[in-house]
Amino acid sequence: FISTVCNFMSHEKCLKNVKIPCSCIAPSLVRVPVAHCFGPPGHYKRKFCAVCRKSLESPAFRCEVCELHVHTDCILFACSDCRQCHQDGHLDHDTYHHHWREGNLSSSARCEFCKKTCGSSEVLSGMRCEWCGILAHAACCVIVPPECTFGRLRNMILPPSCVQLFSRNFSKLHCFRISENLQTESDEDDDVDGSTQGSTKDIQISTDSSKQTLKIFDGNDAVKRNQFRLISVPRIAKNEEVVEAALRAYYINDDQQEYELQTFTQQVLLSDDVINRNDAAEDSNLGSVFRESVPEAWIIRAKPKDEEVIRIYPAWLKVGMAYVSLRVNKDSTVQTVIKEVLPLLGRQTECLQNFKLVEVLMGSRQVQRMVLDNQELILNRLKDIRKTSIRQMNQTRFYIVENSKSIVQVNLFVGGLPPQLSPEEYTNILKEELAIKTNVVSVSHVYQAQGAVVLQISCFSEAERIYMLVKDTVVNDKPLNAVVIPTVMASKIPQNCCPLLVFVNPKSGGLKGRDLLYSFRKLLNPHQVFELTNGGPLPGFHTFSKVPSFRVLVCGGDGTVGWVLGALEEIRHKLVCSEPSVAILPLGTGNDLGRVLRWGAGYSGEDPYSVLVSVDEADDVLMDRWTILLDAEEPAEGAENGIAEPEPPKIVQMNNYCGLGIDAELSLDFHHAREEEPGKFNSRFHNKGVYVKVGLQKISHTRNLHKDIKLQVDQHEVELPSIEGLIFINIPSWGSGADLWGSESDNRFEKPRIDDGLLEVVGVTGVVHMGQVQGGFRSGIRIAQGSYFRVTLLKPIPVQVDGEPWIQAPGQIIISAAGPKVHMLKKSKQKQKKTGS
């Protein structure tokens, strides 16, 4: 058997065991309506549409938060059943149930209960909880206890009940800080989702000459947008057959006798006076819907009713019932409905004025709420909705809600402002540039060193206006950026929970960062995953500032890790958990720090779930960080008229190593090559190839670096041998895993450790020597070991710190320990523990 609505297939003997709801009734089974967060259309192999259950051969949409995949022309029919990742003042609760999603499992997936295979690459089959990851057959999942404990990753997930976000006017992309440049294509699809673009797969069914293809509109809204569905019916067809086919096309399972067809004319756009062919005097019910002139398009309309039964849902979830059914007639108003519903919910003693009736449209992209006027006639409201769209009627609910004074509080992080200003000066800038209304907008937090503020806004429309305006605002030639951030209610976080704050650099690792962003948003709460190109690390640290205990995962190269550790150092005093441990998922070229901490030479597509389990089991270690003071005594090269002042002293942080001379010169040439053609530098292999090419060009190059610099270690002058490069190393890995210090024992120096408070100083004689070190044939020339260094530059020299190179003018370089050691996570050598969900 095959369903004529959603294409569900079943053996005859299996029909009595079918547990999967059809797409036409799926909206009625949604427990808490939550809109999906669709990214741009893409090609997804071996995936199936959740609405029509067919494979995704053409470009399709996927939700960035859950595992929902839909065709472009099915997106309007996807019900708003995404994961609820935060409290928004509507239907909030602290107990979380399994959030089941059907299909798109691997063919090797096994049911948690009967242990048999439940996945398939041929059809949509099997169920998966999108919080705890448990797998089950559709028939088995009904016997699972409903409460979800979040599975193996429970201690890393930020519980949704602890997150609050008022997001009425913001799209889901804004709420989850998903870059809008991903959305350039799909924004245009709002006008074509159910239209000609998506209907091509239905056109193929009309090749039979005995059949005809018709355009079917489901209401005035579809006509205005030119969004139609195509149906194929016999050329000699009765009204009932066409109505039934039209209802199936719109995933509606109502009685066909309640609907009728009207011909489509241009008058529809101007008025509701539409020619109704079903009113023909002769054989209107039995005759063919086609006469001598066959209209190309039809509108399906609901017949008017004198009374009907509606469902009223209680907005609180502890009543013990999902909804109550109520019969309404043409005299029923919103007030009379409330009066009749309250006794059915056991609230008969309460005053009617304490309640309101809310109409909720559960669209796939947005859940829209509208409070109905007490005197409005219910049947008229239903008639208006059906006239607009019978599909929308199928996705509309009525909730009875207690009147409560809701407090609106939207938190907006605004960065890119001039640093080191007072709160009053920041407020004045925002007044001038954004015309903020101080009666509804206040500055709640100021980050002076970073030039950022957090705005607390008590009006949805003002929050949306500021958010949109910030994107086009420039202050001191620097564009501003805005991020919607949630409020984490730290008091609600369970005691044994240590949420993971995830930072991903999507530009690192040959664009693997994009896939990791998607995977981590699915495996964790999306509110704990931050994209570093969207405001940097500061919005993430601010969001977690009140969390008593958390860990950090940085997905990126060594430069990205340094960026996050630098931001952590600056904001540490404002965090309740001032010393979070930091793990690394290496996505860069060298990944030396990742190698030392056992996270590997680079990410090569490992299962993100396994990565998170490894982070959970990792060991806490300490690591030194170093401050480098660069004090130039002469003007920088190229100063106009030679009368420019020397560069002001600059301070940079170092985690891995600092190089002077040939090492920095190669990094600088690589940096210039990447700036000229950034599009080519998207793979680790290509990047290393460019390094080799740059090195070969310098192979005959000689530089007497030891004559151009002077070195002082712990207040003692150190005589330098004949070298071309001087390197200060904090970790036993340099240049993509080479051991520059060497493993030989030496009585002059202590054995290096990353937490010993000492730096090792090593020299290299040239490119050939560096190549031999990287090949493992030699080590560098050991020069010194200490905790305080002063380097005097006698001429401009290339310098690089953790892979960031520049030309440093003559002057002093002072290297010293940077405050407290930082807590890092080192991957455990033990195999991952098998812990049940």
Side-chain angles (χ1 to χ4, degrees), residues 4-182:
T4 55
V5 177
C6 70
N7 304 304
F8 180 83
M9 293 181 289
S10 171
H11 295 106
E12 183 179 4
K13 64 180 181 180
C14 300
L15 277 177
K16 59 184 179 182
N17 296 319
V18 171
K19 304 290 184 184
I20 299 297
C22 180
S23 300
C24 64
I25 64 165
S28 66
L29 301 177
V30 173
R31 187 164 179 265
V32 179
V34 179
H36 291 284
C37 182
F38 292 111
H43 292 274
Y44 304 106
K45 296 179 181 177
R46 295 184 294 279
K47 299 289 184 183
F48 294 88
C49 175
V51 175
C52 70
R53 307 181 72 87
K54 295 179 181 177
S55 64
L56 302 179
E57 294 166 356
S58 55
F61 289 100
R62 77 174 178 189
C63 177
E64 295 289 323
V65 175
C66 68
E67 192 63 50
L68 184 92
H69 291 74
V70 286
H71 290 110
T72 52
D73 63 326
C74 292
I75 193 170
L76 291 173
F77 303 96
C79 52
S80 49
D81 61 345
C82 193
R83 286 193 297 163
Q84 187 180 17
C85 299
H86 58 261
Q87 310 274 26
D88 62 356
H90 302 284
L91 309 178
D92 296 337
H93 54 101
D94 293 336
T95 302
Y96 272 77
H97 290 190
H98 289 294
H99 191 275
W100 297 108
R101 177 72 63 207
E102 185 191 9
N104 292 319
L105 307 177
S106 72
S107 53
S108 60
R110 291 193 172 275
C111 176
E112 191 78 19
F113 300 94
C114 67
K115 306 302 178 187
K116 295 178 182 177
T117 302
C118 62
S120 171
S121 58
E122 304 295 326
V123 292
L124 203 63
S125 74
M127 307 292 281
R128 176 182 178 272
C129 172
E130 293 182 314
W131 282 115
C132 67
I134 191 173
L135 305 175
H137 291 102
C140 294
C141 75
V142 296
I143 62 173
V144 180
E147 190 172 336
C148 181
T149 58
F150 300 122
R152 171 66 182 85
L153 304 178
R154 68 178 70 87
N155 293 335
M156 309 176 78
I157 291 176
L158 184 63
S161 57
C162 305
V163 186
Q164 191 173 55
L165 178 64
F166 297 97
S167 56
R168 190 177 71 184
N169 286 40
F170 291 102
S171 75
K172 296 298 286 289
L173 288 170
H174 296 159
C175 294
F176 295 122
R177 304 165 304 280
I178 297 172
S179 293
E180 288 185 87
N181 55 3
L182 288 176

Side-chain angles (χ1 to χ4, degrees), residues 209-348:
S209 61
S210 66
K211 292 192 174 184
Q212 174 150 339
T213 300
L214 294 179
K215 290 180 183 179
I216 302 292
F217 295 88
D218 77 323
N220 295 352
D221 186 61
V223 172
K224 288 174 185 174
R225 294 173 178 264
N226 194 32
Q227 288 180 342
F228 54 84
R229 303 283 285 177
L230 295 175
I231 64 170
S232 178
V233 293
R235 290 190 178 275
I236 309 277
K238 295 181 180 179
N239 282 347
E240 290 85 350
E241 295 175 38
V242 182
V243 170
E244 187 180 355
L247 290 174
R248 282 202 304 265
Y250 279 95
Y251 297 94
I252 293 170
N253 197 36
D254 294 349
D255 184 357
Q256 63 187 17
Q257 300 296 330
E258 297 177 3
Y259 294 87
E260 60 189 5
L261 286 172
Q262 296 178 347
T263 53
F264 171 78
T265 68
Q266 288 305 312
Q267 296 175 27
V268 174
L269 296 174
L270 303 174
S271 72
D272 293 329
D273 182 21
V274 188
I275 301 172
N276 185 349
R277 288 296 293 267
N278 287 341
D279 289 341
E282 49 184 6
D283 301 329
S284 63
N285 292 326
L286 303 174
S288 168
V289 82
F290 307 112
R291 298 288 183 256
E292 293 176 6
S293 60
V294 180
E296 184 190 36
W298 295 75
I299 303 174
I300 186 164
R301 299 282 194 190
K303 293 178 182 177
K305 300 178 182 178
D306 290 332
E307 65 173 30
E308 62 179 293
V309 176
I310 62 170
R311 291 175 175 179
I312 305 293
Y313 292 77
W316 55 92
L317 295 178
K318 297 173 183 174
V319 185
M321 60 183 79
Y323 60 84
V324 293
S325 298
L326 197 69
R327 185 173 294 277
V328 294
N329 55 38
K330 58 184 179 181
D331 298 321
S332 299
T333 63
V334 168
Q335 192 165 17
T336 59
V337 167
I338 295 174
K339 186 177 180 180
E340 290 179 43
V341 165
L342 287 178
L344 299 175
L345 297 174
R347 308 290 287 261
Q348 59 269 23

Side-chain angles (χ1 to χ4, degrees), residues 693-733:
K693 181 180 176 183
V694 168
L696 292 173
Q697 292 170 349
K698 307 278 184 185
I699 202 161
S700 59
H701 176 75
T702 56
R703 172 193 288 275
N704 296 318
L705 183 70
H706 59 287
K707 296 179 180 178
D708 300 331
I709 63 174
K710 293 180 180 177
L711 174 64
Q712 211 179 69
V713 180
D714 294 335
Q715 311 296 331
H716 300 292
E717 292 284 345
V718 175
E719 188 175 341
L720 295 172
S722 179
I723 53 174
E724 279 192 60
L726 186 70
I727 303 162
F728 299 82
I729 52 177
N730 184 43
I731 60 174
S733 178

Side-chain angles (χ1 to χ4, degrees), residues 43 249 258 381 449 744 795:
H43 292 274
E258 297 177 3
R381 183 62 201 149
E744 300 85 10
K795 58 188 291 188

